[in-house]
Amino acid sequence: MVKKQYMQNGKRTLVTILLTTAAFFASTSAHSASISPTSPKEENKTEPTVWRFGLEEIEGSLQHIYAKAFKKRIEEKTQGAIEVDIYSYGTLGESEDLTNLTAQGTVQLAHASTGILGKRIPEMQVFTLPYLLSHDSQRNKHVLSSNTTLYGILGNILIDQNLRLLTLYSEGDMVWTTNEPIRHPRDFDAFKMRVMSAPLNIDTFRLYGADPVSLPYSEIYSALQSYRVDGQSNPIFAIEEMRFYEVTDYMIWSGQQKFITSIIANQSWYLHLSASHKKALRSTISEMTDIIHERQEALNRAQLATIKREKPDMVMFTLSSRQKRAFMQRAQPVREKYIEITGKQGKRLLEALEEAFDTVR
């Protein structure tokens, strides 16, 4: 039943999204109109300002954990003057819809995975390049949260779209779940792999030899179940939450990518925040860097244990260094294509990140 619910949510039409948006304002107006002042104290009571925070994942997910911790801190720091409303995956449509609603100002804050943002901002596709990030999770955390070149280039590009980049963080390794063992690019021959829609991500799997298929997150389970695709790639927690392991036989740690997500805000909204509310927002985002890193590692460990318990015959393995090199070599043209489509700015970003992650090849 849970799976059906999210598949239905993923198919919401634009009309549904607009109606939902309208409902935000209608409910707020109705609530205000229903208040009958019974005393001077109640008449002077100020309603909290609402910050709407949209997620790309379901309740109980890592993004939901982030949003709940964020909400608690913001509401405490502002002594209730700000109320954070959280909207889980499917409530406002798919990930692309969420980014659009944030740019429009209907939603003030949102998670936006770099694979999805890469469709609208080519430079963001740097995080889809295979084997870019370090194996050192602490190094990754530091670079993603504070690299000045990263925030200078991507931040300015997002501002042009009325979006503000607040932070980036890793949700863990992207793990392949498949119905056949994949140890070499030749194993991808005639293999339909569901991938995120960023063009360079599609190109990467095509170079591996696979037939890449871009599908909404909500349709992955049914596509695996009906053999429309033969495999997919997601972090461990997503594989467990969406139960992708039920309809695949192998979990493969290729080392190819980490799942990187961002927190974005509406730029106009941010600029009009009071000084005290900006301070609360910035300090909370900073505090969340270490918190979400620890929660991510713990959540992925716990949900991997759940998968092992629920499906003890699931075959799990990690590619050897030699096997990884074969995939690296196949995907080398993607790096050059990234530079070609993003120009000098993209080249500067990529080289800065390769140096920061210590993955220069």
Side-chain angles (χ1 to χ4, degrees):
M1 179 170 295
V2 173
K3 293 189 287 291
K4 289 181 180 178
Q5 177 186 346
Y6 293 110
M7 290 175 205
Q8 290 169 352
N9 284 338
K11 295 177 180 176
R12 290 176 180 270
T13 63
L14 180 60
V15 173
T16 303
I17 295 168
L18 293 174
L19 288 173
T20 304
T21 302
F24 290 150
F25 300 102
S27 62
T28 301
S29 299
H31 176 70
S32 299
S34 68
I35 298 174
S36 299
T38 57
S39 71
K41 184 176 181 180
E42 288 181 348
E43 283 182 357
N44 295 328
K45 186 177 180 181
T46 302
E47 288 295 317
T49 299
V50 175
W51 292 3
R52 300 186 181 95
F53 195 165
L55 313 183
E56 293 182 307
E57 297 167 3
I58 64 174
E59 288 188 18
S61 67
L62 190 65
Q63 290 186 10
H64 191 244
I65 290 170
Y66 187 110
K68 287 197 301 180
F70 175 90
K71 171 183 171 71
K72 180 175 184 293
R73 284 162 176 76
I74 288 292
E75 293 179 356
E76 287 176 352
K77 289 177 183 180
T78 62
Q79 299 181 326
I82 300 298
E83 179 180 306
V84 179
D85 286 353
I86 300 169
Y87 296 89
S88 299
Y89 175 73
T91 309
L92 300 175
E94 297 289 344
S95 299
E96 292 91 342
D97 302 316
L98 197 57
T99 301
N100 290 334
L101 290 171
T102 308
Q104 294 162 11
T106 304
V107 173
Q108 288 74 46
L109 300 153
H111 274 87
S113 62
T114 56
I116 297 297
L117 279 177
K119 284 181 68 177
R120 107 190 250 152
I121 300 168
E123 289 84 355
M124 193 67 78
Q125 292 186 76
V126 70
F127 295 109
T128 70
L129 298 181
Y131 302 99
L132 171 66
L133 273 72
S134 172
H135 294 300
D136 182 342
S137 63
Q138 288 293 330
R139 180 188 288 268
N140 290 337
K141 178 186 73 171
H142 175 72
V143 174
L144 291 171
S145 63
S146 63
N147 185 271
T148 54
T149 304
L150 170 62
Y151 283 87
I153 293 176
L154 295 181
N156 286 334
I157 294 170
L158 281 164
I159 284 172
D160 290 340
Q161 302 201 24
N162 200 29
L163 294 168
R164 187 175 190 89
L165 178 61
L166 298 179
T167 194
L168 291 145
Y169 68 89
S170 169
E171 297 196 47
D173 287 318
M174 294 288 278
V175 179
W176 300 343
T177 64
T178 65
N179 58 23
E180 296 289 343
I182 305 291
R183 292 186 171 87
H184 189 275
R186 62 174 169 267
D187 297 328
F188 268 130
D189 183 45
F191 189 98
K192 297 185 293 296
M193 187 73 167
R194 184 272 173 182
V195 300
M196 288 189 294
S197 56
L200 291 184
N201 198 49
I202 293 171
D203 289 345
T204 296
F205 279 93
R206 188 170 287 123
L207 286 166
Y208 287 166
D211 178 11
V213 179
S214 180
L215 290 171
Y217 187 57
S218 57
E219 295 181 20
I220 298 174
Y221 187 97
S222 62
L224 289 166
Q225 188 178 43
S226 62
Y227 300 103
R228 283 192 291 141
V229 295
D230 304 306
Q232 66 86 43
S233 180
N234 259 300
I236 294 167
F237 72 84
I239 294 168
E240 192 278 328
E241 286 167 0
M242 302 301 283
R243 307 187 77 83
F244 299 145
Y245 65 90
E246 291 181 343
V247 284
T248 48
D249 299 318
Y250 298 87
M251 287 183 67
I252 305 164
W253 280 256
S254 67
Q256 174 200 349
Q257 285 177 327
K258 308 287 184 185
F259 185 88
I260 307 301
T261 192
S262 68
I263 307 280
I264 57 174
N266 177 272
Q267 172 69 356
S268 299
W269 167 83
Y270 176 84
L271 293 176
H272 286 88
L273 288 176
S274 68
S276 62
H277 288 171
K278 280 181 184 174
K279 182 179 178 181
L281 176 60
R282 287 195 294 260
S283 65
T284 300
I285 290 290
S286 179
E287 290 164 12
M288 288 300 302
T289 297
D290 286 331
I291 293 169
I292 202 61
H293 179 76
E294 293 171 4
R295 298 283 184 88
Q296 174 264 126
E297 292 189 333
L299 184 64
N300 279 317
R301 282 195 301 270
Q303 292 186 296
L304 179 59
T306 298
I307 294 171
K308 289 178 177 179
R309 182 176 65 252
E310 294 288 328
K311 192 171 182 178
D313 60 341
M314 190 79 170
V315 179
M316 304 180 182
F317 62 88
T318 301
L319 297 186
S320 67
S321 297
R322 182 178 179 180
Q323 290 168 334
K324 289 176 183 176
R325 279 196 297 273
F327 286 100
M328 286 182 196
Q329 290 168 1
R330 281 288 190 99
Q332 190 60 30
V334 177
R335 183 185 187 279
E336 303 309 316
K337 187 168 183 180
Y338 174 80
I339 294 172
E340 179 185 334
I341 64 176
T342 59
K344 292 181 180 179
Q345 186 166 249
K347 185 175 188 289
R348 184 162 70 89
L349 174 60
L350 174 56
E351 290 176 347
L353 291 180
E354 286 177 331
E355 181 179 353
F357 289 127
D358 193 25
T359 53
V360 178
R361 287 183 289 276

